[in-house]
């Protein structure tokens, strides 16, 4: 993987572990020669990921909608900053520019990005690894809900392994690097569905 799209919150929680984690993720990716593609913001975990990567000499590509650029939250220190018209264009750019997706703790926007990456993989719009860093048990309930969707039959068995989750960054990156694409819905026959 040459570049990974990192999804995370634009907020800075009171618990400083989250911002420190984001900075460490950015620095770790840079140390491994992996570029960061992210939301282009300078605030919260987003800004910390970018700062960690830039301080470690890494490539950082930000993608931000015009409205957020005008609100003066864009990080103009990025290696490249792409200003796009809409959130849909932003998410398409994440997919186009990256070789995989890594989700850190975040809120509603982060969930939107994560589930779109999973959904697009299920369908066959991409065949890239979708990683979830379950730091501090932040995503325990989300992972339990994902298992429930699988067990209930709303997620096909062929797609049960799309979401790669680990509490440890090194293990998660290793699993993402070893990712083998599944059979997407677009390649299935009606009888398989």
């Amino acid at each position: 993987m040459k570049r990974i799209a990192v999804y995370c919150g634009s907020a800075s929680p009171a618990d400083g572990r989250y911002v420190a984690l984001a900075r460490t993720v950015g620095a770790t990716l840079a140390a491994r020669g992996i570029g960061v593609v992210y939301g282009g913001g300078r605030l919260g975990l987003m800004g910390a990921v970018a700062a960690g990567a830039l301080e470690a000499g890494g490539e950082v590509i930000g993608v931000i909608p015009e409205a957020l650029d005008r609100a003066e939250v864009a990080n103009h220190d990025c290696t490249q900053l792409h200003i796009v018209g809409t959130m849909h264009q932003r998410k398409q750019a994440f997919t186009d520019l990256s070789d995989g997706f890594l989700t850190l703790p975040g809120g509603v926007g982060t969930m939107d990005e994560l589930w779109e990456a999973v959904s697009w993989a299920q369908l066959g719009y991409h065949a890239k690894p979708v990683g979830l860093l379950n730091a501090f048990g932040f995503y325990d309930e989300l992972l339990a809900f994902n298992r429930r969707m699988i067990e209930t039959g709303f997620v096909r068995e062929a797609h049960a392994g799309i979401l790669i989750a680990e509490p440890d960054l090194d293990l998660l990156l290793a699993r993402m690097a070893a990712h083998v694409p599944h059979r997407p819905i677009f390649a299935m026959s009606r009888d398989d569905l």
Side-chain angles (χ1 to χ4, degrees):
M1 293 181 292
K2 293 180 181 176
R3 290 180 180 153
I4 292 179
V6 179
Y7 299 146
C8 60
S10 60
S12 297
D15 185 340
R17 296 180 301 169
Y18 293 101
V19 171
L21 170 73
R23 185 176 287 272
T24 297
V25 167
T28 300
L29 293 175
R32 291 176 177 227
I34 300 171
V36 170
V37 178
Y38 86 116
R42 59 181 170 78
L43 305 175
L45 272 65
M46 267 203 251
V49 166
L54 289 168
E55 288 167 8
E59 174 190 48
V60 176
I61 300 173
V63 184
I64 193 164
E66 291 171 4
L68 291 176
D69 181 48
R70 285 194 306 271
E72 299 182 1
V73 297
N75 182 356
H76 291 277
D77 293 331
C78 295
T79 310
Q80 297 175 36
L81 182 63
H82 300 266
I83 300 172
V84 297
T86 68
M87 292 295 281
H88 294 292
Q89 292 169 332
R90 179 194 220 184
K91 290 186 289 183
Q92 183 65 57
F94 291 151
T95 302
D96 294 343
L97 294 169
S98 70
D99 301 310
F101 309 90
L102 172 61
T103 302
L104 307 182
V108 173
T110 304
M111 292 300 90
D112 175 51
E113 293 162 342
L114 168 65
W115 289 116
E116 183 164 287
V118 171
S119 176
W120 284 18
Q122 232 178 215
L123 290 167
Y125 284 114
H126 74 77
K128 302 171 183 184
V130 180
L132 180 74
L133 185 59
N134 188 24
F136 321 119
F138 184 81
Y139 286 120
D140 286 350
E141 290 85 4
L142 181 79
L143 292 169
F145 179 67
N146 190 55
R147 280 190 301 276
R148 183 173 182 189
M149 288 190 294
I150 293 164
E151 291 164 1
T152 305
F154 286 111
V155 174
R156 291 168 182 81
E157 193 59 39
H159 304 138
I162 289 175
L163 186 59
I164 304 166
E166 292 291 345
D168 176 78
L169 179 61
D170 290 330
L171 180 55
L172 179 57
L173 291 174
R175 288 190 60 204
M176 290 175 68
H179 168 72
V180 175
H182 62 281
R183 187 168 175 222
I185 289 173
F186 292 157
M188 293 180 170
S189 69
R190 189 176 73 170
D191 293 337
D192 296 328
L193 300 174

